[in-house]
Amino acid sequence: MLDYPDERRITTSVLVIGTGGAGLRAAIELAERGVDVLVLGKRPKADAHTTLAAGGINAALSTMDLEDSWQQHAADTITESYLLARPDTVRIVTENAARGIEDLERWGMPFARESDGRISQRFFGAHTYRRTAFAGDYTGLEIQRTLVNRAAQLGIRIIDTCYVTRILVRDNAVFGAYGFDLDNGGRYSFRADAVILAAGGHTRIWRRTSSRRDENTGDSFRLAVLAGGRIRDPELVQFHPSGLIEPENAAGTLVSEAARGEGGILRNADGERFMTRYDPERMELSTRDRVALAAYTEIKEGRGTPNGGVWLDISHLPRETIMRRLPRVYQTMLELQMLDITRSPIEIAPTAHYSMGGVWVRAHDHGTGVDGLYAIGEASSGLHGANRLGGNSLIELFVYGRIVGEAAAQYSEALLTHRRSDGALADARREVDELLAADGRENVRALQRTLRDTMTEHAGVVRSDTGLRAGLSELDELEQRITGIGVHPDPAGFQDLAHAFDLRSSMLAARATLEAAVERRETRGCHNRSDYPDIDPELRVNLVWSGPGKIEREPIPEVPAEIARLMRDVSTAGKLVE
Ligand SMILES: Cc1cc2nc3c(=O)[nH]c(=O)nc-3n(C[C@H](O)[C@H](O)[C@H](O)COP(=O)(O)OP(=O)(O)OC[C@H]3O[C@@H](n4cnc5c(N)ncnc54)[C@H](O)[C@@H]3O)c2cc1C
């Protein structure tokens, strides 16, 4: 300790890593139960990734369609997951979803309502009934505001300039975490009975992604694995069909699927409406995985636009419709490209959007198998299988935020002894010291770019054994190069150090993804293998990765009869599919 006189040592009962919807919801549960909680984030709390969510949040409230039920919501979720969702997780989320919405209402969430005051619910693709509650096309922003306000009312401590580098563990039990301040580089060592990991997914390891810079860099994966946790189904990543190609620094930014929902047409470079070949019935309103695959195939087979995309055209729609129904798309395109979408088509390509896999967790409390360590939100796994039902990720934050908050509170309450390890703390300190002293020639940003190119080239929408193995050898080379990086914090902050840790996390997440993708020798949902074009019933399992070369198959329980009898393919015609 004497060697680190400026290190701030902070003690709390429960530490939450992540100030997005999942982390804040869990923290609120803890604070409402009177448990001391501290929340950490690496970007401003009002601007967590959750703010980007647009379309809505699901619960079978039956405000629009009386026939709806949690069982039907569960059936739709499992069908859409291509049978890889874990039925116990699905049941917990769908059965408790209405309560999640009630919590939000109680804290002042401005849901859209019908004239008689009922919460409005809209159709999202592949849902049997209207069950997606929303607030305009900025649902995530309103959710984040509601949670930040509630957290302030409860006096919850939040440090949103703290980059967490390690979770501290002794004998398979957590006792805290380590990190540094992004503004001034000051160190933090946190002591806690329990730690909740809510640090998002790993979609930023692809070149085009709907995450912003430095978000979803795979931190949850690395923090969990170094603490003794495991990763379930890292290969299952949802690619959204419509990401922007330019400008480079905004590559992957989503063009809302509402643009297709309102009548947008997809064309290749030859002007052909290519969805006629892939899904002649549903055309542009086909499911997200199919549209992404169609666009990818057109580009790969040489019918792409000059920048390697396809055209999304809404210019045939009346100008008033565009201004009324797609104002955000119109504004975004003007701001980013000076493009008037009432006159010109938009150049788009598939973009990495959502991590359906994540940290391995138990269904009933989202414990990770490491005592006192829990994971929630996009960081976790079990609900979505091989394709996420639109609107399900937001509700998961609320259902499991409450459950995990309760579980961590009980764990902390019951903990009789708190065993720490000087060795674990020393390792965490040394790791930061060594990176700060790194003075090599390799540039962190350039290596991040190379990694993203590797993943895009070899583990994108369509994969093959040859490609994935080529990706793994490129990763081996990158792992050599990372030893030669230089880290140079400047007076403006310690972002460069953060990027170096981001890179380490992304490398680990990339390895897990590539290795699991090799192992999943089938085509199922988002995971397309050109060398294994069919579903393999034997692979109706989750793949659990616990380190290089270590993958196990985890059986998935049978779907309960009351849910199985409701499962069927659902048409997406006329529905929003985001
Ligand atoms: C454009 C877009 C539209 C979407 N629309 C919908 C929708 O309509 N409906 C729906 O259900 N879902 C939607 N989603 C998905 C949904 O928004 C996310 O899955 C969800 O918000 C994830 O929340 P989270 O709390 O798990 O993680 P995040 O909101 O990503 O929060 C992660 C937190 O972890 C922190 N963090 C990460 N690493 C570290 C570290 N090393 N140290 C400290 N802090 C760290 C970050 O600062 C952040 O606070 C959409 C996503 C996008 C991108």
Side-chain angles (χ1 to χ4, degrees), residues 67-262:
E67 307 86 331
D68 202 8
S69 63
W70 72 261
Q71 290 91 338
Q72 187 62 59
H73 184 188
D76 293 350
T77 301
I78 295 174
T79 305
E80 188 72 354
S81 80
Y82 291 77
L83 299 181
L84 292 193
R86 301 194 67 77
D88 34 6
T89 302
V90 174
R91 184 187 57 72
I92 289 172
V93 170
T94 53
E95 210 177 356
N96 290 285
R99 193 164 160 189
I101 302 288
E102 279 162 30
D103 288 339
L104 270 169
E105 262 191 297
R106 203 172 53 249
W107 302 327
M109 168 82 187
F111 281 117
R113 291 182 186 267
E114 298 294 299
S115 53
D116 60 4
R118 279 172 298 153
I119 288 184
S120 300
Q121 297 203 278
R122 62 182 171 204
F123 260 134
F124 254 24
H127 286 266
T128 304
Y129 297 112
R130 287 172 287 180
R131 66 167 76 95
T132 305
F134 59 97
D137 62 354
Y138 41 87
T139 310
L141 188 64
E142 290 294 5
I143 284 180
Q144 191 70 14
R145 278 187 188 145
T146 304
L147 292 175
V148 168
N149 288 343
R150 180 66 185 147
Q153 280 171 3
L154 290 165
I156 292 175
R157 285 185 296 163
I158 299 178
I159 306 177
D160 58 4
T161 53
C162 173
Y163 192 107
V164 176
T165 57
R166 283 272 178 156
I167 292 170
L168 301 174
V169 179
R170 170 171 176 169
D171 299 337
N172 198 44
V174 295
F175 68 92
Y178 196 75
F180 64 90
D181 195 279
L182 284 152
D183 289 340
N184 58 30
R187 307 285 185 90
Y188 295 103
S189 85
F190 302 100
R191 307 288 195 279
D193 298 338
V195 174
I196 298 175
L197 184 55
H202 70 313
T203 46
R204 188 77 202 168
I205 69 175
W206 282 269
R207 191 167 53 222
R208 285 191 204 107
T209 163
S210 56
S211 294
R212 295 169 297 187
R213 264 189 139 187
D214 311 328
E215 281 180 338
N216 289 324
T217 43
D219 302 21
S220 299
F221 285 38
R222 177 174 177 274
L223 290 170
V225 169
L226 294 185
R230 299 175 294 159
I231 309 297
R232 182 191 274 139
D233 295 337
E235 79 284 11
L236 299 181
V237 172
Q238 186 167 55
F239 283 82
H240 193 290
S242 45
L244 289 185
I245 297 177
E246 288 184 316
E248 180 63 30
N249 64 2
T253 300
L254 287 199
V255 177
S256 167
E257 277 177 285
R260 298 205 319 277
E262 293 298 336

Side-chain angles (χ1 to χ4, degrees), residues 17-23 40-43 48-50 52-57 124 162-165 198-201 210-211 216 219 223 254 353-354 376-379 388 390-395 397 578:
I17 306 171
T19 60
L40 309 174
K42 68 173 182 176
R43 66 183 299 139
H49 181 72
T50 295
L52 297 183
I57 173 166
F124 254 24
C162 173
Y163 192 107
V164 176
T165 57
S210 56
S211 294
N216 289 324
D219 302 21
L223 290 170
L254 287 199
H353 180 51
Y354 185 85
I376 41 170
E378 198 165 336
R388 175 176 70 98
N392 263 2
S393 49
L394 287 177
I395 196 60
L397 313 182
E578 197 136 68

